[in-house]
Structures are given as C-alpha cells and as structure tokens.
Amino acid sequence: MLRAEIILDETARFHARPAALIAEAAQKFESMICIEGEGVFADCKKFLSVMKIRVPSTGILEIVTEGSDERDAMSEIEYIIKNMYWR
C-alpha cells in the first residue's frame, strides 16, 4: 500500500473535467486507488465518487493505492492532480 499527500491551492475544486480525467486514468489500473479530502474517501475509478471530494482548507489531499500496479497508479494519479488547471 502506498500513501501520498498532495498540497493544492486553497482555491482548487474538483469539477467535471478533473474528476473525469482521474476516473479515466484510474480505470486503467488493477490497483485500488482512493483519494481522501475532509474525511471523505473517493474510489478514483468512479467519476461521481471523485466529484464528492472537497479540497480541505489546508489544501492537503491524500492518495492511497494498493495492488500489483500501485506504483504506476500512484504516479499517474499524482501527475494528473498536480498538473490540472483547478479553477
């Protein structure tokens, strides 16, 4: 199991485009991939689940991956989250 924290700008919001990109990328992997924000966990393979996530006032999101391709999954999801235009 891998865990990573990502710090986002406090104005960041999950909306349809980033949520869709995350879900599409996550579906390529066999590993379980979750994001946690403000105590809410999202299954990254499900678009509507990702849409539920709120970026905490601290801006810190946690990503958790577990499975045979967890390193690749973590890398790709981190890349998407860090490089999306969030406004």
Side-chain angles (χ1 to χ4, degrees):
M1 179 185 297
L2 299 176
R3 293 179 180 272
E5 287 186 347
I6 295 178
I7 300 173
L8 298 175
D9 182 288
E10 68 276 354
T11 62
R13 300 287 177 261
F14 275 91
H15 51 82
R17 181 156 172 80
L21 288 172
I22 290 167
E24 183 179 338
Q27 290 171 12
K28 295 187 291 187
F29 298 100
E30 293 199 18
S31 291
M32 177 275 305
I33 308 167
C34 291
I35 298 176
E36 187 267 326
E38 286 193 339
V40 176
F41 288 85
D43 177 349
C44 288
K45 295 181 181 185
K46 298 179 180 177
F47 169 78
L48 292 177
S49 184
V50 177
M51 288 288 295
K52 293 187 314 185
I53 294 295
R54 296 185 189 275
V55 178
S57 57
T58 61
I60 298 173
L61 291 177
E62 183 174 42
I63 304 170
V64 179
T65 60
E66 183 174 14
S68 61
D69 53 0
E70 63 188 17
R71 291 193 190 285
D72 293 334
M74 177 67 76
S75 178
E76 186 154 343
I77 299 302
E78 273 187 300
Y79 178 83
I80 291 169
I81 292 174
K82 288 179 179 178
N83 293 290
M84 272 304 304
Y85 182 70
W86 289 96
R87 294 183 193 9

